[in-house]
Amino acid sequence: MAARLIVELVVDPGGHQVTKRFSQARLRGSVSRILRTNVLCSMATTRGAQAHINTAYFCYSPDLELFFLSDPHATHCRNVAVNPSMAMAVFSSAQVWGKPDAGLQFFGRCAQAMGDIARTAQRLYSARFRDYSSSDLHRYRFYRFVPQRVKIFDERALGGGVFVVARIRRKPG
């Protein structure tokens, strides 16, 4: 992962801020593992007062850009065309209550991928989903979600009930 995570807040199970410290390697490892082991995301968009949620398969870049494939006429795509603000959750729905859980919540901006960015998305998506064939999805387009913040919940790596909120810093360019 090329992006750097700058911790802004660590919260304990009671919702209180704590001064726990985590290495960059531990945080990046947690984010990478959760992204690698999950293929579905839920994304929330809004246009005016009407919120919308959608589920999609996703892929990601080393710089923590997330890409999904969708029909531009779908509600969530029309929403980001008007308001690019988006939140995305990545987690396994097979987790068992009472056992160590893990998941990510991202907050950032989304737009339809164009040009080189769309080609990058297609390359990453094809590598992740071997059965993907663009010929079957001619009306679909790639979308790029660039999160500015991530909320990490990884009880095995970070402790029970601990949430880490971090800003995502990418290299310019």
Side-chain angles (χ1 to χ4, degrees):
M1 179 189 321
R4 184 163 175 75
L5 302 174
I6 311 300
V7 175
E8 295 182 332
L9 179 68
V10 179
V11 180
D12 70 11
H16 303 97
Q17 186 171 346
V18 295
T19 57
K20 261 185 156 179
R21 297 199 187 281
F22 299 101
S23 71
Q24 190 67 201
R26 180 181 276 185
L27 293 175
R28 288 167 53 157
S30 181
V31 170
S32 293
R33 183 179 42 75
I34 294 168
L35 288 172
R36 186 178 61 254
T37 59
N38 293 283
V39 295
L40 286 170
C41 68
S42 292
M43 60 190 93
T45 60
T46 186
R47 179 172 39 180
Q50 186 65 42
H52 179 74
I53 192 161
N54 187 70
T55 302
Y57 288 94
F58 74 94
C59 63
Y60 57 95
S61 75
D63 211 26
L64 278 182
E65 303 163 299
L66 290 90
F67 300 95
F68 61 93
L69 190 59
S70 197
D71 185 328
H73 296 101
T75 300
H76 56 282
C77 296
R78 289 185 321 217
N79 285 355
V80 298
V82 174
N83 178 6
S85 180
M86 190 167 90
M88 181 183 285
V90 175
F91 61 96
S92 169
S93 63
Q95 296 180 92
V96 177
W97 191 91
K99 304 287 185 192
D101 293 324
L104 303 169
Q105 296 172 13
F106 292 103
F107 306 90
R109 301 177 70 75
C110 183
Q112 186 175 331
M114 304 289 209
D116 288 343
I117 294 170
R119 285 185 284 283
T120 296
Q122 184 169 16
R123 180 180 51 77
L124 292 168
Y125 204 84
S126 296
R128 184 160 200 190
F129 302 108
R130 301 280 182 217
D131 292 336
Y132 163 73
S133 169
S134 60
S135 62
D136 296 340
L137 303 165
H138 63 277
R139 21 174 251 265
Y140 283 61
R141 299 294 178 264
F142 282 103
Y143 285 79
R144 178 178 133 195
F145 175 54
V146 182
Q148 284 106 28
R149 286 191 163 61
V150 60
K151 187 176 187 180
I152 309 163
F153 183 67
D154 188 346
E155 292 187 302
R156 280 195 176 95
L158 307 176
V162 172
F163 289 90
V164 176
V165 178
R167 191 168 18 111
I168 300 169
R169 181 180 294 158
R170 295 172 182 84
K171 292 180 182 176

